[in-house]
Amino acid sequence: PWPTMAMQVCHWSQAEKMGMGISMNAQKQFTLVLPFKLSGYHGANELLRLTDILLPSLDKFLDSNAVHTFFIVCKDDEVQIVKEALSGQKIPVNIEVRSENTLLKPETIANTKGWYIQQLIKLGVARVVATEYYLVLDADCFLTRYFTYTNLFHGDKLITNTESWTVHKDWWLNSLNIMEMSLEEISNNAVIAATPQSLKTGVVLELLDLLDHKAGRVGWEAYLSERKFTEFSLYWLFLIRNNLTHLYHSGNSPVLLGNALWNLHHPQNPGFFARLLPKRFRPGVTLSEENTRLIRQHVDACFQHNGDSFFSLVQSNINGISVEWLSAQLQKYWRPNASAQDTDAGENRSSC
């Protein structure tokens, strides 16, 4: 049986009273977490995405004093490659490149598909996080305006992108099964969306304890590796189960992510696209001149219409949009004193 709600709430109160291992100088800081692999969809260059897009955006817009540590977690045989790539990089925050072996058991990694390993990392990292909150990123995210510790919150609650559970039905149905909860408990309410998201470290630790309890001798990692789930849906359901969602998260504006381009069928701001292309990237695909213009317009909108959000993304699996091309479009925003109106005719003549 699951531990009682009263036991869990009491445990949180005691844990928070004791500081949950959080150092005094980390109390007004947060941790960044990036599960990472060198090669993305169809061999996309994720290292270039990290060094030429994500990190420059953090250098430009992030208050470095607000970040305790930036964990980049990758395969054991990729750690040194990532470290070498970052050695000549302007690093705005304290970065710690970690092997996934330091967070997960070797047998878990060997027996789990890559996408699910990333989900496990986003939960397991809570056991090494030294701050009360951590912000989970993907490599295709980038900041579009100034961001500091207080921007994590609306009032005293974490700002949170939400959506209907029906957007990703399988995620929620699978996680509901794990948590032994009914669909009625989420059917009429918004639920947490995808990355980027901020999590309360203590809640994740309690979730892991609860999963450990359910898993018994095999432990939470092995238990989840045999099932379908997502990290955020488990986290959200855990909050709902204990009637704590309203205490820690706000779905009000502003939110973390805005103007996201998931694919050419489903941009978060859909008015830009007149023509639709197949969703997945195919090597050799060339966008039409019109679509190229519209995508540039969307990239600019990420910085011009970001009053209610802080991050944006252009997903790495979109037809014909190479990391190199996207990086070239974004460079003008990393320049000192760059503004949303700062454009360059030469860049605008480049192609995807």
Side-chain angles (χ1 to χ4, degrees), residues 30-48:
F30 62 94
T31 298
L32 289 172
V33 175
L34 173 67
F36 184 77
K37 59 180 181 178
L38 293 178
S39 179
Y41 289 104
H42 297 274
N45 188 341
E46 295 299 277
L47 193 57
L48 185 64

Side-chain angles (χ1 to χ4, degrees), residues 196-209:
Q197 293 289 2
S198 298
L199 306 179
K200 186 170 174 64
T201 309
V203 172
V204 179
L205 291 174
E206 290 290 342
L207 170 61
L208 296 183
D209 286 347

Side-chain angles (χ1 to χ4, degrees), residues 185-200:
E185 295 180 76
I186 63 169
S187 58
N188 295 322
N189 297 300
V191 297
I192 194 169
T195 311
Q197 293 289 2
S198 298
L199 306 179
K200 186 170 174 64

Side-chain angles (χ1 to χ4, degrees), residues 41-299:
Y41 289 104
H42 297 274
N45 188 341
E46 295 299 277
L47 193 57
L48 185 64
R49 192 179 293 277
L50 172 64
T51 60
D52 285 27
I53 297 178
L54 176 57
L55 286 180
S57 81
L58 299 182
D59 181 51
K60 174 71 177 180
F61 296 114
L62 180 65
D63 175 8
S64 60
N65 294 321
V67 177
H68 183 272
T69 307
F70 182 6
F71 289 119
I72 300 177
V73 185
C74 54
K75 294 180 179 179
D76 191 63
D77 60 1
E78 295 181 352
V79 169
Q80 192 56 38
I81 298 173
V82 174
K83 286 183 176 180
E84 290 175 1
L86 298 180
S87 63
Q89 187 85 11
K90 186 177 180 181
I91 306 296
V93 295
N94 173 40
I95 289 183
E96 183 177 329
V97 182
R98 297 182 69 108
S99 165
E100 59 193 17
N101 293 352
T102 65
L103 300 178
L104 303 174
K105 298 174 183 177
E107 56 267 31
T108 301
I109 296 170
N111 297 322
T112 309
K113 294 181 179 180
W115 189 71
Y116 284 106
I117 289 176
Q118 291 200 2
Q119 318 304 307
L120 296 174
I121 287 171
K122 293 173 188 178
L123 296 175
V125 74
R127 289 181 168 167
V128 298
V129 167
T131 55
E132 189 173 0
Y133 307 100
Y134 64 97
L135 173 57
V136 178
L137 301 175
D138 281 335
D140 47 13
C141 297
F142 51 87
L143 267 176
T144 65
R145 65 183 177 112
Y146 181 73
F147 191 80
T148 188
Y149 179 83
T150 56
N151 295 128
L152 282 175
F153 306 96
H154 178 83
D156 60 350
K157 301 173 185 178
L158 292 168
I159 61 174
T160 309
N161 282 80
T162 59
E163 62 190 14
S164 167
W165 75 275
T166 59
V167 175
H168 297 103
K169 290 183 180 180
D170 288 346
W171 295 1
W172 290 96
L173 293 175
N174 291 329
S175 292
L176 281 166
N177 185 53
I178 291 174
M179 296 297 289
E180 300 178 15
M181 295 171 63
S182 67
L183 181 58
E184 288 71 25
E185 295 180 76
I186 63 169
S187 58
N188 295 322
N189 297 300
V191 297
I192 194 169
T195 311
Q197 293 289 2
S198 298
L199 306 179
K200 186 170 174 64
T201 309
V203 172
V204 179
L205 291 174
E206 290 290 342
L207 170 61
L208 296 183
D209 286 347
L210 204 58
L211 291 170
D212 263 333
H213 179 88
K214 184 171 180 63
R217 295 173 61 182
V218 300
W220 72 272
E221 293 179 29
Y223 178 78
L224 289 182
S225 67
E226 296 175 350
R227 291 161 173 81
K228 294 182 178 180
F229 69 97
T230 64
E231 77 288 34
F232 296 141
S233 58
L234 288 176
Y235 172 84
W236 199 253
L237 291 173
F238 187 79
L239 289 173
I240 291 173
R241 183 184 183 90
N242 293 283
N243 196 30
L244 293 169
T245 312
H246 66 289
L247 293 180
Y248 296 138
H249 287 267
S250 169
N252 295 324
S253 181
V255 292
L256 284 170
L257 183 69
N259 295 306
L261 182 56
W262 296 105
N263 56 69
L264 297 189
H265 294 274
H266 183 64
Q268 197 171 24
N269 191 342
F272 290 111
F273 293 93
R275 301 178 187 174
L276 302 180
L277 297 175
K279 178 180 178 181
R280 296 294 179 183
F281 174 81
R282 295 196 309 272
V285 168
T286 301
L287 295 182
S288 68
E289 182 177 341
E290 173 66 6
N291 274 301
T292 299
R293 182 187 67 80
L294 291 169
I295 292 169
R296 286 200 198 97
Q297 186 178 348
H298 183 90
V299 170

Side-chain angles (χ1 to χ4, degrees), residues 11-20 132 200 202-203 248:
H11 189 179
W12 280 328
S13 300
Q14 183 64 14
E16 291 175 347
K17 187 181 296 183
M18 295 173 64
M20 291 185 338
E132 189 173 0
K200 186 170 174 64
V203 172
Y248 296 138

Side-chain angles (χ1 to χ4, degrees), residues 274-332:
R275 301 178 187 174
L276 302 180
L277 297 175
K279 178 180 178 181
R280 296 294 179 183
F281 174 81
R282 295 196 309 272
V285 168
T286 301
L287 295 182
S288 68
E289 182 177 341
E290 173 66 6
N291 274 301
T292 299
R293 182 187 67 80
L294 291 169
I295 292 169
R296 286 200 198 97
Q297 186 178 348
H298 183 90
V299 170
D300 288 336
C302 293
F303 297 86
Q304 295 167 350
H305 305 294
N306 58 356
D308 61 352
S309 61
F310 296 92
F311 286 87
S312 193
L313 66 82
V314 176
Q315 200 173 38
S316 57
N317 64 348
I318 298 177
N319 280 12
I321 302 181
S322 69
V323 178
E324 293 80 1
W325 181 87
L326 179 60
S327 174
Q329 307 310 304
L330 291 168
Q331 289 308 308
K332 60 177 175 282

